[in-house]
Amino acid sequence: MHVLRTPDERFADLPDYPFPPNYLRLREGLRLHYVDAGPRAAAPAGLRVPAPDLIGFGKSDKPAAAGHYSYAGQVAWLR
């Protein structure tokens, strides 16, 4: 699968976006970006939520072929 990756420097100095990058490497070798912010102690109370980019968006990798995108595919990548 041919994959496009937006260089990290494209996201430098974004106004109102103070979050450090976090990446999860999927089985297919794709890099999925997510935001993980807030106090760690809030997790047991249910007050913490990771916010993933979808594959193909934002800082996540982008498969070049349109055929790699589907609703079922996005669900599988998030699982």
Side-chain angles (χ1 to χ4, degrees):
M1 170 184 333
H2 179 63
V3 175
L4 305 172
R5 181 172 290 165
T6 305
D8 286 335
E9 49 275 4
R10 292 284 190 100
F11 300 103
D13 302 320
L14 289 176
D16 300 320
Y17 192 84
F19 309 106
N22 297 289
Y23 294 100
L24 177 66
R25 180 135 344 243
L26 305 181
R27 279 191 306 261
E28 298 86 351
L30 295 168
R31 200 170 73 157
L32 179 100
H33 177 261
Y34 64 96
V35 171
D36 186 3
R40 296 252 178 231
L47 302 174
R48 188 174 179 87
V49 177
D53 281 340
L54 295 176
I55 294 295
F57 295 87
K59 294 182 179 185
S60 293
D61 283 348
K62 298 141 187 80
H68 286 106
Y69 294 93
S70 68
Y71 180 78
Q74 292 288 354
V75 170
W77 284 324
L78 286 175
R79 285 189 175 165

